[in-house]
Amino acid sequence: MIEIQNLVKLYGNKSALEGVSFNVGEGEIVGFLGPNGAGKSTTLNILTGYLSSSSGTVKVGGIDVFEYPDEAKKLIGFLPEQPPLYHDMKVSEYLNFVYEIKRCKLNRKKHLEEIMQTTKILDVKDRLIGNLSKGYRQRVGIAQALVGNPPVIIFDEPTVALDPKQIIEIRNLIRNLGKTHTVILSSHILSEIQSVCDRVVIINEGRIIADEKTESITRVAGDTNEYIIKVAGPQREVQSALRSLRGIVFSEPTGERDGDSYCFRIKSETGVDIRKPLFYMLAEKNWPLMGLEPQGMNLEDVFVRIMDNDMKKSKSAKA
Ligand code: ADP
Ligand code: MG
C-alpha cells in the first residue's frame, strides 16, 4: 500500500534522511520508531506530500505522491506532529471546513457524525477547539484525518504531551482504526509501538536500522540482565552476598527501604539467567525475596543490541 524508496532529504547542506526505504502492506499497522531528530516527521511529511524530498520515490496505493499529489493525498489521512487546528472554530465547523477543502463527496451529515462517533467527540461538537483539553483536541485532529474515509492513516507522535489516561484513549482509538485501515504510527517510545503495532521500522540518524515483527524487537528488549530486587534481610550483608554470587557483575543498594526489606539494583553477566541462583542463595540465608523487577531496556539499549546483532550477522555472513 505504501512504498518508500531511497528517500533523501537535505535541509541546506545537512542531510536529515540518507536513503530511507520501507514498504507497508494493506491493512498493516506499522510503528515508526526513533529518537528525537531521527527523521520521523521528515519522512512522514514527505510521504503525505507536505514536504518535497531531495530524491527518492513514494507511492501510495501505486500512485506516485510527487507526480500525482492530489490523487495520492485522497488515499491518506494525516495527523501531523502539530495538528492544523483552528482554535476559534467550533469542532463541527472545523470538520465541515475540512470536508470542504478535501472536496469530500460522501453524505456530509452522516459522514461527519460517524467520524465524531468513532473519535468520541460528539459531546463537544459545539465547543470551540481552543477551549478543549489536549486529549480532546488530539481526537479532533484524528477526526480531520478521517474525513473522506482514506484507507491509509498516518499518525506523527500522537500521544506526545498527553496525560496517561488520554494516552490510553488515543492508543485504543488507533488500535481500533488499525482494524480497518493501513496505519503508520510514529513514536519515540518503544512501549507505545509494542502495545499498538504488528511491525516496527526503526530509524536512527536518517537511516533505517531495523524492520521487524514487533515480537522480535520485544524479544531483544525483554532479554534483560538487569533487575531491581527487594530482599528482607540486613542491607550490608545482603549486599556483600549479592556481590559474591557467581554471575552477578554489579550490585548496589538503591537506597529504598520497605519495612525490613531493602532494594538493590543488580546486573548479571550477559547470557546468564540469574533468577534461580539468586533465589537459592537468598533462601539458604533465610532472606525472603520480596520483589524482582526486570528493568526493561530503553530505546538506546535496544539500538545498541540491534546494531550489535547486525554487526554479528554481517560478520558471520562474511566468514
Ligand atoms: P523526528 O521527527 O524524528 O524528531 P525530524 O524529521 O523532525 O525528526 O528531524 C530530522 C532532522 O532534520 C533533525 O536533525 C532536525 O533538526 C532536522 N530538521 C527538521 N526540520 C528541519 C528544517 N525545517 N530545517 C532544518 N533542519 C530540519
Ligand atoms: Mg517528529
Side-chain angles (χ1 to χ4, degrees), residues 36-37 40-42 81 156-157 186:
N36 287 327
K40 301 183 295 298
S41 296
T42 302
E81 208 166 15
D156 193 2
E157 306 228 29
S186 94

Side-chain angles (χ1 to χ4, degrees), residues 15-32:
S15 75
L17 302 181
E18 304 183 357
V20 164
S21 305
F22 63 93
N23 295 334
V24 178
E26 191 171 347
E28 264 193 304
I29 170 160
V30 170
F32 193 37

